[in-house]
Amino acid sequence: MTIRVWVWLRGEFLLESFLPLDFSVPKTPSARLEAAEVNAESPGRRTAIEGAHALLDECQSRRWDRLGVLQWSQIVEEVGLDNALSEAVFRNASGPETYATLPMLAVHMLLVGLEYFTYESDEVISIRGDIVTAMVHEQMEDFICILYRCATGCSRADLRKDKLRISGSQMKKFLSMVDILFEGMMENDEEMDSHDEIVNVSVIAERLWLHNGEVSIPKFISNMRQCLVQDPFQIDDLSVDTPSSSPRRVTSLAGTRRKVTVSGWQRFQLLSKAVYKDVHLRISSNRTQSSMLVAPWRCRSIIVDRVTSCPAMVLGPTYGSVILREVHHTNISVACKQLYLWNSSDVTVFLHSPNPPTLRGCTGIRFAPFNVSYEGLEEELAAAGLRTCRYEAPKHVINLDDSETSMLPATDFYLQPVPIVNKESDVKDLLDKLCPAYRKEWEAALQRLQTIPNDDSSSPLSKTDLLYLRGKITAE
């Protein structure tokens, strides 16, 4: 009997742990050799690994198994993170809670090492998932030993890696931590029913790697490294594949892994069909100008990459992260759990989020309250856990460098029109939730607009888009 095993990093976890960290991909053999030498001695890389161990040392001495903001602030200097990065790491590790567990903080600390990791690739394009997988493969021993320390409470001095074994309740705790980070698949030639079944790594370990109820940590590390592959679903990044005959592409996967890619669109895009609900939405365009795009359904995550001069992009309420990377001269309306902006410029974000946005390498970023209403939006917000009684511009941002940000003046605020049923009650709900300053200015602007003749010149749709839509209406 032959059993094949594959293990990969959970895409959902990689999205939850996302930070706009830089990495390099040297192309020539000499550059790779030089990068490998620098990488091996990188103080930053050592800081990530040493920082994770320092975190465990400090928490074990204080008998902390979870940390609130105050506790985290007391030990952050020992961990070796600056204020902005430490805030971002804690926020990612804590999620919706007011505290973060020790294993989650330690793993997020290790992932900060991506900043200093040099990835060797022959590919023209290397997506983030490739780099993270390569880093974890190389540092598998560090990742597993950190989780071992979390499960057993042992000190770093007691990590005699050639002797480590684990069993009983400690093993169950250890495997539950591994399951947070990894998942996989087993393929048995004699059991066809089990093909393509995604399982936790704990299931694989209990079936194949445990002997007499215990597991050797060195053997576990070796097995994990041998079985580790790139996430086959690639939901944590843009797919290298782009739609050909159509600007849209939907994967055939159901459930939490369905991904929709919209790329290089030439006409106004309205993603109104139910197939676009509860997906990981990926939007990309290398064009110098992009037409309006509206995705009203709730999403699991959104990545907008390399989009320029889009007059209006309306994104549905999002359970998780929205990442704007290389976005320029664009207006975006979005409600999400967490927003990241990376290497972007001249972007206005009409935002509703319970967490402060995180920025790096950005200029001319303006924030304003959420500005969209349409029928069904309230239900989508509730389903995404984003229902609120007030839309306000973010009062705080996590700035990982010297990115330039500002608040959009209330005099420049507007309600974004969308080609979706929008009842008076929907508009009223939006206006009721707007903070007073923005609502007052909008009402004043509306009165001024009523004295001006109708003019399509201010529409976010181009003339060709308007002709295209009128043609569609006539045809139907």
Side-chain angles (χ1 to χ4, degrees), residues 295-300 302 315-319 334-336 370 374 377 380-382 384 386:
W297 293 109
R298 63 182 180 269
C299 294
R300 293 189 171 274
I302 299 176
L315 305 176
T318 304
Y319 297 102
V334 63
C336 61
F370 191 62
Y374 52 84
L377 174 60
E380 294 298 286
L381 286 167
L386 294 168

Side-chain angles (χ1 to χ4, degrees), residues 202-223:
S202 59
V203 174
I204 298 172
E206 289 168 358
R207 180 171 178 181
L208 302 176
W209 300 344
L210 267 61
H211 299 283
N212 298 322
E214 68 175 14
V215 63
S216 161
I217 293 300
K219 183 63 175 176
F220 187 89
I221 293 170
S222 176
N223 289 341

Side-chain angles (χ1 to χ4, degrees), residues 16 33 220 282 329 350 359 465:
E16 291 170 2
L33 180 60
F220 187 89
R282 305 295 178 254
H329 313 297
F350 298 88
L359 300 93
D465 280 333

Side-chain angles (χ1 to χ4, degrees), residues 419-431:
I420 307 173
V421 175
N422 200 6
K423 298 181 295 187
E424 286 188 18
S425 58
D426 299 318
V427 178
K428 183 179 184 302
D429 181 67
L430 169 60
L431 292 173

Side-chain angles (χ1 to χ4, degrees), residues 40-74:
E41 299 300 324
S42 167
R45 178 183 173 185
R46 289 200 305 273
T47 296
I49 297 170
E50 294 295 330
H53 282 291
L55 169 66
L56 296 183
D57 293 340
E58 292 294 327
C59 291
Q60 287 174 354
S61 68
R62 292 170 167 83
R63 297 185 178 180
W64 293 345
D65 58 359
R66 65 181 191 178
L67 292 79
V69 174
L70 180 59
Q71 293 165 310
W72 175 244
S73 65
Q74 292 173 7

Side-chain angles (χ1 to χ4, degrees), residues 318-361:
T318 304
Y319 297 102
S321 299
V322 172
I323 301 168
L324 309 181
R325 180 176 58 184
E326 296 286 354
V327 178
H328 308 282
H329 313 297
T330 294
N331 301 315
I332 296 178
S333 303
V334 63
C336 61
K337 173 187 170 185
Q338 184 62 56
L339 175 69
Y340 300 92
L341 291 104
W342 190 10
N343 295 340
S344 298
S345 65
D346 191 21
V347 177
T348 300
V349 184
F350 298 88
L351 176 66
H352 166 53
S353 177
N355 296 307
T358 300
L359 300 93
R360 184 172 188 178

